[in-house]
């Protein structure tokens, strides 16, 4: 992509409305713009990152055997009245009346809707297990939206719902999501630790939060040093027994501020380190909490009618962008992990008035593109300083700079954004080097 | 995908609530389920088709030089009050009040929001031309939602907005979209004819509707036989002059029922054929209708301040699924064009009690998957009749059936869903044949 024809409105100044670093950098790097309180437009660069995160989440869901569908954003209030949560949910739920005076709402979560689909379509234990997910915009009318996409009102979430005949099978589905989440966050370049969690308004008694470690994280967390040694499960584990993996990852102490208990017997506090964390996922197993009142049952193998065992599992997809930036940035800007970077390479022509620079950069741009490398080509009429600053700000993993001096020696300067290391690479080698 | 583990709830009976064939088939083939009036859940098979259509639309937008961003579904009423359309829009607009009593709405279209983004970020003619699109859910509170996804309330739309310095450049942007639309619909397996259109509430004086021909289409259309001979523009045309292409495609008579005028002088009615059509796209060039009142201007090359010239362009992405089915079905079900089919191949094991059938089908399933062929494997404990009926209903382009008789002769039966042609193919050749 040629930057001269693209739309990345970067900002030099620090936006005064942004209190945390991810919010500041998302505004400055031209990823988002606020259109109303807690409601954002995703500009091209931000949307590219969002789609990459979404795709990694999707791949890991599919690998774990979940099927994607898409529920609407607008739901009828009827189902929520049936489950009893319509009144419970309070003012965070955006309530709407249509032209005929029917009560609707903008879904903050989908337990009711998915349970309704299930009970209308599934009759037999032979159709189980079933795990359905969607990646959809949701709305929670936060009283005081803040921190950019970390606590917005309209946000993108992956949520899924598992249906099983027995509690034992339900726990297996829970474990599959537990493992899928470990893999997902690792692929996003994040260090995430599952922590025992309060089940809150969702209900049930088995639940974990996945907390990403970041120096600028929103809350204090406590966890055993032993987590360092745990390996992320491979992609081929889902056909086997997942309990040993879950047992390992839940064998050590890990707690958020709210759940932390220094009096906890059996915890050796000298192994515990403190840090700051950001919640990016939450999984629940809640048995028949929704299936029983809503009549989501199947015929079992003996002909008996059984309320299904359910779990629900959420990842804050748009929130993750904030989480990744909190975990990976420096004073100059964002440092994208390669798996979610909007482009892999940023190519800078340091002197657009020099015809030979233009020709060589144009040629490199074509060659990178032909090689399938995602490249952003800064061909703007700007000074070298502004180009370096913008490139650091938007945080592409690799920077390639070419100016008249390099041209003379036949070399480009290659910079690794994460480490800051620079080296000279022959112009004719640079495409192969980064392909 | 193994059908035994998937979620395609097909229906044998004709649903009584569905008045048109696409709605009936989308319910019967398990593509969608209604969750509230005019609001649907997209089941896995329907979502797969929706994503494929979305991707083709996206590829052609990118090729034509448009940049993707994503505006939120919920908008502040302020901008609509500023443009004067808040009152004009009437009851089709879903109006919402948040917990603080602020007026919001679920966007039915995005002229105001994009113009606001433009005026906040773009200052100079050097940043033009700019063409921004998004693919986002929209809501129109139809008084009587009907015809399934053809006239739903929550629907997926691609809409984009072009910004140019001069009217001439604006027309070039319009032409680029005109050509992109020709290419998009052709790739979707549709025959679409651009027809001169009324500009309605969007405004402006240059506008075309793209009408897909389908025997069961919603309205009568009139068009010259000469359209048959026109070629779809190639993918490399966008760097050149597009006017000759647009001139050709607008040189012949084509009109919807509302615009049709038999008294039109210069039209030789003997070349005009009538048919039925479905509107799937609509493009507008409206100059400074929004930029002027909303102050979307740039500094021109002479330092003067110029209101930008705008156009907007829409494709009904979710509506297209209905359109494709209306244009491509028979008494037994849907006939997907290969470019949007949820899977390319359906493999049927006709006797799951026969171990050798199971083994051979399992092996073929693995081989197809390894070859990168999207395959749906009907391994359910159902009779052959039910499997053939379901496979015809869901309309995959290629059906491969294997039973004990075929096994003996070493042959599978291959059926082309569109033509109905059947042939015997050696078991060992079938994967290569369809790869």
């Amino acid at each position: 992509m040629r930057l001269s024809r693209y739309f990345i409105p970067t900002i030099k100044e620090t936006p005064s409305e942004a209190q945390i670093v991810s919010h500041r950098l998302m505004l400055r790097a031209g990823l988002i713009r606020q259109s109303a309180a807690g409601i954002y437009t995703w500009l091209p660069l931000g949307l590219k990152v969002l789609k990459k995160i979404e795709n990694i989440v999707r791949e890991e869901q599919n690998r774990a055997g979940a099927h994607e569908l898409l529920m609407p954003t607008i739901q009828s209030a009827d189902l929520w009245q049936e489950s009893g949560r319509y009144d419970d949910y309070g003012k965070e739920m955006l309530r709407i009346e249509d032209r005929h005076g029917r009560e609707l709402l903008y879904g903050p979560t989908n337990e009711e809707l998915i349970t309704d689909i299930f009970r209308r379509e599934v009759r037999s234990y032979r159709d189980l297990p079933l795990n359905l997910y969607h990646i959809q915009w949701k709305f929670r009318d936060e009283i005081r939206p803040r921190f950019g996409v970390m606590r917005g009102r309209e946000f993108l979430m992956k949520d899924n719902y598992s249906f099983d005949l027995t509690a034992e099978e339900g726990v297996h589905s829970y474990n599959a999501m537990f493992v899928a989440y470990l893999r997902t966050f690792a692929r996003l370049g994040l260090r995430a630790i599952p922590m025992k969690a309060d089940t809150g308004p969702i209900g049930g008694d088995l639940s974990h939060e996945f907390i990403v470690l970041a120096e600028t994280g929103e809350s204090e967390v406590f966890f055993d040093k032993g987590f360092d040694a745990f390996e992320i499960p491979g992609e081929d584990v889902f056909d086997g027994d997942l309990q040993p993996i879950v047992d390992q990852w839940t064998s050590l102490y890990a707690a958020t501020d709210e759940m932390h208990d220094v009096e906890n017997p059996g915890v050796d506090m000298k192994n515990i380190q403190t840090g700051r964390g950001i919640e990016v996922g939450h999984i629940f197993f809640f048995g028949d909490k929704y299936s029983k009142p809503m009549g989501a049952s199947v015929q079992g193998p003996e002909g008996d009618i059984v309320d299904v065992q359910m779990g629900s599992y959420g990842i804050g997809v748009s929130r993750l962008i904030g989480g990744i930036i909190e975990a990976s940035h420096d004073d100059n800007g964002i440092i994208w992990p390669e798996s979610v970077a909007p482009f892999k390479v940023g190519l800078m022509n340091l002197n657009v008035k020099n015809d030979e620079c233009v020709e060589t950069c144009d040629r490199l741009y074509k060659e990178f593109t032909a090689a399938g490398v995602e490249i952003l080509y800064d061909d703007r009429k700007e000074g070298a300083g502004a180009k370096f600053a913008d490139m650091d700000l938007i945080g592409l993993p690799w920077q390639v700079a070419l100016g008249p001096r390099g041209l003379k020696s036949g070399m480009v300067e290659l910079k690794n954004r994460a480490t800051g290391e620079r080296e000279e690479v022959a112009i004719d080698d640079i495409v192969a080097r980064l392909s």
Side-chain angles (χ1 to χ4, degrees), chain A:
Chain A
M1 179 61 64
R2 282 175 182 271
L3 189 44
S4 63
R5 301 190 190 159
Y6 204 42
F7 185 53
I8 308 182
T10 56
I11 303 172
K12 276 205 197 72
E13 310 75 38
T14 298
S16 59
E17 75 269 34
Q19 300 169 42
I20 61 172
V21 67
S22 60
H23 190 190
R24 282 197 294 271
L25 288 175
M26 289 183 77
L27 290 170
R28 287 193 53 211
L31 303 184
I32 54 168
R33 285 296 180 265
Q34 179 170 298
S35 76
I39 302 177
Y40 294 88
T41 289
W42 294 79
L43 300 182
L45 208 61
L47 182 61
K48 264 182 175 284
V49 179
L50 192 68
K51 292 264 177 204
K52 292 209 172 181
I53 295 176
E54 190 184 317
N55 273 332
I56 288 174
V57 170
R58 175 175 290 122
E59 283 172 14
E60 294 301 329
Q61 286 296 309
N62 293 344
R63 184 167 279 147
H67 301 304
E68 187 173 10
L69 46 64
L70 187 63
M71 288 175 268
T73 60
I74 300 296
Q75 304 180 17
S76 164
D78 298 352
L79 291 171
W80 289 73
Q81 279 152 350
E82 193 181 338
S83 76
R85 289 208 296 178
Y86 193 58
D87 296 323
D88 293 358
Y89 222 92
K91 290 193 167 177
E92 266 195 22
M93 182 184 278
L94 192 68
R95 293 152 206 266
I96 307 168
E97 210 172 83
D98 74 8
R99 66 191 294 166
H100 299 297
R102 285 192 212 97
E103 288 177 88
L104 302 173
L105 56 96
Y106 199 123
T109 177
N110 287 60
E111 281 81 5
E112 283 78 1
L113 197 48
I114 197 79
T115 307
D116 182 54
I117 291 165
F118 181 90
R119 71 182 173 185
R120 284 154 64 186
E121 306 298 339
V122 181
R123 296 274 172 269
S124 163
Y125 74 97
R126 281 188 307 251
D127 297 322
L128 304 184
L130 188 61
N131 188 334
L132 300 170
Y133 75 99
H134 76 159
I135 301 174
Q136 179 62 296
W137 293 91
K138 295 184 175 55
F139 202 96
R140 289 184 194 158
D141 199 3
E142 299 274 352
I143 190 161
R144 199 162 70 88
R146 59 193 184 283
F147 306 148
V149 301
M150 300 287 281
R151 194 168 287 276
R153 293 200 290 173
E154 185 169 330
F155 59 96
L156 186 63
M157 193 170 161
K158 184 285 298 172
D159 46 322
N160 52 338
Y161 305 89
S162 63
F163 303 89
D164 286 278
L165 187 66
T166 67
E168 192 187 345
E169 286 158 357
V171 169
H172 180 78
S173 294
Y174 182 89
N175 288 346
M177 288 299 106
F178 188 105
V179 172
Y181 277 33
L182 289 175
R183 287 186 45 79
T184 301
F185 299 125
R187 285 187 61 192
L188 296 172
L190 295 168
R191 193 168 165 225
I193 294 180
M195 304 195 181
K196 222 171 175 157
D198 201 9
T199 58
I202 303 279
D205 45 27
L206 179 58
S207 178
H208 287 91
E209 283 178 344
F210 285 76
I211 306 284
V212 160
L213 301 180
E215 277 177 34
T216 51
E218 60 197 358
S219 61
E220 197 166 19
V221 293
F222 305 85
F223 58 97
D224 197 291
K225 289 171 188 157
F227 277 104
D228 287 347
F230 293 169
E231 276 180 26
I232 300 298
E235 62 179 63
D236 53 352
V237 299
F238 291 100
D239 285 335
D241 182 11
L242 302 172
Q243 197 61 51
I245 300 173
V246 175
D247 285 346
Q248 182 191 40
W249 281 86
T250 55
S251 64
L252 298 182
Y253 187 82
T256 57
D257 206 11
E258 296 121 35
M259 301 288 277
H260 183 51
D261 178 8
V262 285
E263 304 298 326
N264 197 326
V267 176
D268 185 353
M269 286 306 291
K270 80 172 187 304
N271 284 327
I272 304 300
Q273 58 189 46
T274 65
R276 298 202 66 86
I278 298 165
E279 189 200 330
V280 289
H282 204 154
I283 61 179
F284 301 89
F285 178 64
F286 43 69
D288 59 8
K289 178 180 154 107
Y290 296 89
S291 59
K292 201 185 196 75
M294 294 186 66
S297 53
V298 295
Q299 189 163 45
E302 317 297 335
D304 46 331
I305 300 299
V306 185
D307 293 324
V308 293
Q309 297 284 315
M310 289 176 63
S312 80
Y313 315 90
I315 289 179
V317 177
S318 49
R319 170 170 244 261
L320 266 169
I321 297 199
I324 290 170
I325 295 174
E326 295 287 338
S328 184
H329 68 272
D330 63 17
D331 289 345
N332 297 322
I334 301 166
I335 302 171
W336 291 118
E338 203 158 313
S339 60
V340 301
F343 297 91
K344 180 179 176 182
V345 176
L347 170 66
M348 288 171 275
N349 178 355
L350 301 181
N351 188 339
V352 294
K353 287 174 190 157
N354 180 316
D355 289 344
E356 220 183 324
C357 274
V358 173
E359 270 167 42
T360 308
C361 284
D362 282 1
R363 175 168 64 81
L364 286 178
Y365 174 59
K366 270 188 203 141
E367 289 175 11
F368 272 118
T369 305
V373 176
E374 290 181 298
I375 181 162
L376 181 68
Y377 172 21
D378 192 345
D379 60 340
R380 293 174 304 167
K381 291 178 186 142
E382 299 278 348
K387 290 190 178 186
F388 279 120
D390 270 353
M391 208 50 96
D392 273 355
L393 176 61
I394 66 176
L396 307 185
W398 297 99
Q399 299 176 8
V400 175
L402 181 69
R405 208 180 325 148
L407 207 56
K408 227 175 266 175
S409 55
M411 306 295 259
V412 294
E413 189 182 78
L414 173 65
K415 177 177 148 184
N416 178 317
R417 175 69 180 91
T419 64
E421 282 173 64
R422 294 161 200 269
E423 58 177 307
E424 305 266 294
V425 177
I427 292 175
D428 292 339
D429 295 341
I430 187 65
V431 176
R433 169 72 182 273
L434 294 175
S435 294

